[in-house]
Amino acid sequence: MLVLLPPSEGKASSGRGAPLKPESLSLPGLAAAREAVLGELVDLCAGDEEKAREVLGLSEGLRGEVAKNAALRTAGTRPAGEIYTGVLYDALDLASLDAAAKRRAARSLLVFSGLWGAVRVTDRIPSYRCSMGVKLPGLGALGTHWRGPMAEVLPEAAGTGLVLDLRSAAYAAAWKPKGEVAGRTASVRVLHAPTRKVVSHFNKATKGRMVRSLLAAGIAPAGPAELVEALRELGYEVEAEAPAKAGQAWALDVLVTEVH
């Protein structure tokens, strides 16, 4: 099972670990694309601060994020699973999983990123600010920048099992599973059952709890149909729509009645 996660906008501090070693990151096929983004982002943020804030879409209160980005090559690092915070990651609560579940998380969780493309939760990275929606002056829109490299690398990373896609739209645009991989991909929405609407907070929280439930139970569904069965056994209310034709992903709606 491969679980595709969005990053969090808020991040923990970089910590005191050794500086970034780009060659140590998972998915080495993304190395050149990562270096291109990293190089331009560092140069941008080390130069004109106001231009950097404009490009990154940062408010006055987030001015300090520019200096953080300028120091990315020398900043301390920590595992990506500790860097990403926010509602989804609070609900996932990787730190409190038992040892076996943590090993499953290391194998199966892949976090998408405007800066790194995608990383495992065990990859050591510094804290940064660069969403997939950013358009860098040289490289252009990051979503577009990542599509080619992702198309080359991600099908192999997907292996032969289920791909559980929990990404938001901006990050989903960087890689869309195709062909045989799409047929074993399940894209999940979380809806407020009475209104049938997505509400950001409990959408993220429910996704985090859902992944945690699968990891803690040691469940690795072979495909989307098995995922639906597993989630229902874990107590989730799930509506599933199989694809109308080959080469399309399954669409799953998880219905939640309480906002929490």
Side-chain angles (χ1 to χ4, degrees), residues 2-248:
L2 183 68
V3 182
L4 311 180
L5 297 174
S8 59
E9 190 168 290
K11 298 174 182 68
S13 62
S14 292
R16 299 180 180 179
L20 175 70
K21 296 180 180 178
E23 69 279 5
S24 72
L25 298 179
S26 301
L27 308 179
L30 299 178
R34 285 172 178 149
E35 179 55 36
V37 181
L38 178 63
E40 184 170 354
L41 182 63
V42 169
D43 289 348
L44 172 69
C45 292
D48 186 331
E49 184 178 275
E50 293 306 315
K51 180 179 179 180
R53 279 210 303 130
E54 179 183 353
V55 169
L56 297 174
L58 300 177
S59 66
E60 175 66 29
L62 294 173
R63 181 179 292 273
E65 299 294 285
V66 176
K68 179 193 292 186
N69 282 347
L72 282 171
R73 294 192 187 275
T74 57
T77 59
R78 61 201 302 180
E82 297 178 12
I83 289 287
Y84 295 113
T85 59
V87 175
L88 187 154
Y89 291 90
D90 285 348
L92 176 54
D93 196 8
L94 287 169
S96 69
L97 291 172
D98 64 32
K102 286 178 179 176
R103 289 193 293 271
R104 289 189 282 271
R107 292 193 302 268
S108 62
L109 304 188
L110 198 63
V111 184
F112 276 61
S113 162
L115 174 53
W116 313 114
V119 291
R120 304 281 186 186
V121 292
T122 50
D123 286 333
R124 299 190 67 90
I125 59 173
S127 185
Y128 67 96
R129 189 72 172 231
C130 185
S131 73
M132 191 65 80
V134 164
K135 182 183 291 186
L136 291 175
L139 289 176
L142 291 181
T144 302
H145 170 76
W146 283 113
R147 282 176 199 156
M150 291 287 194
E152 293 182 7
V153 172
L154 267 294
E156 181 179 353
T160 59
L162 170 73
V163 177
L164 175 54
D165 191 352
L166 303 178
R167 297 172 296 167
S168 53
Y171 292 91
W175 180 60
K176 183 178 180 180
K178 296 181 179 180
E180 182 271 334
V181 178
R184 49 187 168 87
T185 296
S187 179
V188 175
R189 298 188 305 174
V190 178
L191 303 180
H192 185 216
T195 63
R196 310 292 296 188
K197 293 182 179 180
V198 174
V199 181
S200 180
H201 179 88
F202 76 84
N203 168 55
K204 295 175 182 177
T206 301
K207 287 178 177 178
R209 286 193 289 269
M210 185 172 65
V211 175
R212 180 182 176 84
S213 296
L214 292 169
L215 293 172
I219 299 173
E226 291 82 0
L227 172 65
V228 172
E229 182 179 345
L231 290 176
R232 287 172 176 165
E233 289 179 355
L234 288 168
Y236 293 91
E237 183 180 354
V238 183
E239 295 179 351
E241 182 178 340
K245 58 182 180 180
Q248 295 181 335

